Amino acid sequence: MEPILILTTGGTIDKVYHDARSSYRIGEPQVTNILANVNVLAPYTVEILLQKDSLDLTDTDRTRIRERVLRAGQRRIVITHGTDTMITTARCLGPITDKTVVFVGSLMPALFRATDAEFNIGFAMAAAQSLSRGVYLAMNGQVFDPRRVRKNSDENRFEII
C-alpha cells in the first residue's frame, strides 16, 4: 500500500480555545491523534507545513504548499486546511497530473465533542487512496472538484456549482 503524505496547514480543525483570552488560536495538528484514535492502518506520515487560519494565508503560503506537493515523493497527499479559503488554495495547485491531492478541513474544531473533523479526516484518507490523479476537496461525505464548488457559509456546507 502506498504511503500517504499528510500536510497540515492549520485552520479550524486545529483550533484550541484559550479561556484567558476568550479566543481561538491554531494549536498542534490534530490529524495524528485522530488517526491513532481510530486505528488507521494505512501507512502515512504527517508534516506540519503551516499553522495558520486560512483567512491569514498569503499567496506566498499557497506557493509554498504547491511547491511542497510538487516535491513530494508520495503520489497520494492529504492536506488539512481551513475551510474559508480551501477552494482558493486547491485551485492554486492547478492541474496536477501525477498525484492525488485531497484537501480536508472541519467546520468545528477537532477538540470539540460535536465535530465533523474525525469523519472528514477518515473520508479524506479513503478518498486519497481511491481517487484518480488530480486535486479534490473531501468534506462531509462528498468529494468536490475545486473548480466547481463553493462554500455556503449560511448553510455551513460545501456545494457543487
Side-chain angles (χ1 to χ4, degrees):
M1 182 177 291
E2 281 185 70
I4 298 171
L5 173 62
I6 301 171
L7 300 174
T8 67
T9 66
T12 297
I13 201 165
D14 293 334
K15 283 188 177 177
V16 292
Y17 184 71
H18 286 273
D19 290 330
R21 294 192 334 222
S22 296
S23 63
Y24 291 96
R25 71 167 175 80
I26 305 298
E28 291 302 309
Q30 295 301 304
V31 68
T32 304
N33 291 335
I34 290 169
L35 294 175
N37 289 340
V38 298
N39 200 27
V40 168
L41 300 177
Y44 63 88
T45 58
V46 177
E47 178 182 321
I48 300 171
L49 197 55
L50 298 166
Q51 289 181 286
K52 289 186 166 187
D53 187 292
S54 71
L55 292 172
D56 296 329
L57 290 179
T58 65
D59 289 341
T60 301
D61 295 326
R62 288 185 176 84
T63 298
R64 182 176 174 195
I65 294 167
R66 178 179 171 76
E67 288 174 354
R68 181 61 187 100
V69 167
L70 292 173
R71 278 194 332 270
Q74 297 89 339
R75 293 184 310 153
R76 301 190 180 277
I77 300 169
V78 170
I79 300 175
T80 65
H81 196 289
T83 61
D84 286 320
T85 65
M86 180 188 298
I87 296 166
T88 303
T89 303
R91 288 177 180 167
C92 285
L93 267 62
I96 300 235
T97 58
D98 64 336
K99 300 177 191 304
T100 303
V101 181
V102 179
F103 281 82
V104 65
S106 66
L107 299 168
M108 296 295 290
L111 293 175
F112 279 22
R113 184 167 182 243
T115 181
D116 56 338
E118 289 181 357
F119 177 83
N120 288 347
I121 291 291
F123 185 70
M125 290 291 287
Q129 294 175 72
S130 59
L131 292 170
S132 60
R133 306 296 183 240
V135 179
Y136 305 91
L137 275 66
M139 288 292 298
N140 303 106
Q142 289 188 280
V143 174
F144 299 98
D145 177 333
R147 298 166 298 173
R148 296 179 186 92
V149 66
R150 72 180 181 107
K151 182 179 177 185
N152 181 334
S153 296
D154 293 334
E155 298 290 327
N156 210 22
R157 66 180 184 206
F158 285 79
E159 44 193 35
I160 297 170
I161 53 172

mmCIF file of all heavy atoms in Angstrom, residues 20 37 62 121 126 148:
data_model
loop_
_atom_site.group_PDB
_atom_site.id
_atom_site.type_symbol
_atom_site.label_atom_id
_atom_site.label_comp_id
_atom_site.label_asym_id
_atom_site.label_seq_id
_atom_site.Cartn_x
_atom_site.Cartn_y
_atom_site.Cartn_z
ATOM 1 N N ALA A 20 -8.397 32.446 28.968
ATOM 2 C CA ALA A 20 -7.862 33.726 29.424
ATOM 3 C C ALA A 20 -8.047 34.821 28.385
ATOM 4 O O ALA A 20 -8.219 35.980 28.726
ATOM 5 C CB ALA A 20 -6.385 33.582 29.774
ATOM 6 N N ASN A 37 -6.402 7.404 17.181
ATOM 7 C CA ASN A 37 -7.580 7.024 17.962
ATOM 8 C C ASN A 37 -8.524 6.098 17.208
ATOM 9 O O ASN A 37 -9.217 5.286 17.826
ATOM 10 C CB ASN A 37 -8.350 8.266 18.425
ATOM 11 C CG ASN A 37 -7.607 9.024 19.495
ATOM 12 O OD1 ASN A 37 -6.725 8.496 20.157
ATOM 13 N ND2 ASN A 37 -7.957 10.287 19.672
ATOM 14 N N ARG A 62 0.492 29.885 -0.288
ATOM 15 C CA ARG A 62 -0.090 28.978 -1.286
ATOM 16 C C ARG A 62 0.984 28.439 -2.237
ATOM 17 O O ARG A 62 0.957 27.277 -2.619
ATOM 18 C CB ARG A 62 -1.209 29.679 -2.044
ATOM 19 C CG ARG A 62 -2.429 29.861 -1.182
ATOM 20 C CD ARG A 62 -3.621 30.462 -1.940
ATOM 21 N NE ARG A 62 -4.751 30.510 -1.039
ATOM 22 C CZ ARG A 62 -4.982 31.498 -0.165
ATOM 23 N NH1 ARG A 62 -4.170 32.540 -0.119
ATOM 24 N NH2 ARG A 62 -6.022 31.448 0.636
ATOM 25 N N ILE A 121 -11.555 13.563 8.186
ATOM 26 C CA ILE A 121 -10.184 13.042 8.032
ATOM 27 C C ILE A 121 -10.237 11.609 7.498
ATOM 28 O O ILE A 121 -9.519 11.253 6.556
ATOM 29 C CB ILE A 121 -9.418 13.105 9.365
ATOM 30 C CG1 ILE A 121 -9.134 14.546 9.763
ATOM 31 C CG2 ILE A 121 -8.133 12.281 9.288
ATOM 32 C CD1 ILE A 121 -8.141 15.279 8.894
ATOM 33 N N ALA A 126 -9.574 7.860 2.807
ATOM 34 C CA ALA A 126 -10.139 6.899 1.848
ATOM 35 C C ALA A 126 -10.131 7.485 0.437
ATOM 36 O O ALA A 126 -9.793 6.793 -0.528
ATOM 37 C CB ALA A 126 -11.554 6.509 2.260
ATOM 38 N N ARG A 148 -15.427 23.562 -9.274
ATOM 39 C CA ARG A 148 -16.894 23.503 -9.348
ATOM 40 C C ARG A 148 -17.551 23.381 -7.978
ATOM 41 O O ARG A 148 -18.479 22.601 -7.801
ATOM 42 C CB ARG A 148 -17.311 22.323 -10.227
ATOM 43 C CG ARG A 148 -16.869 22.469 -11.666
ATOM 44 C CD ARG A 148 -17.283 21.270 -12.513
ATOM 45 N NE ARG A 148 -16.731 21.384 -13.842
ATOM 46 C CZ ARG A 148 -15.569 20.871 -14.220
ATOM 47 N NH1 ARG A 148 -14.842 20.199 -13.369
ATOM 48 N NH2 ARG A 148 -15.134 21.017 -15.451
#
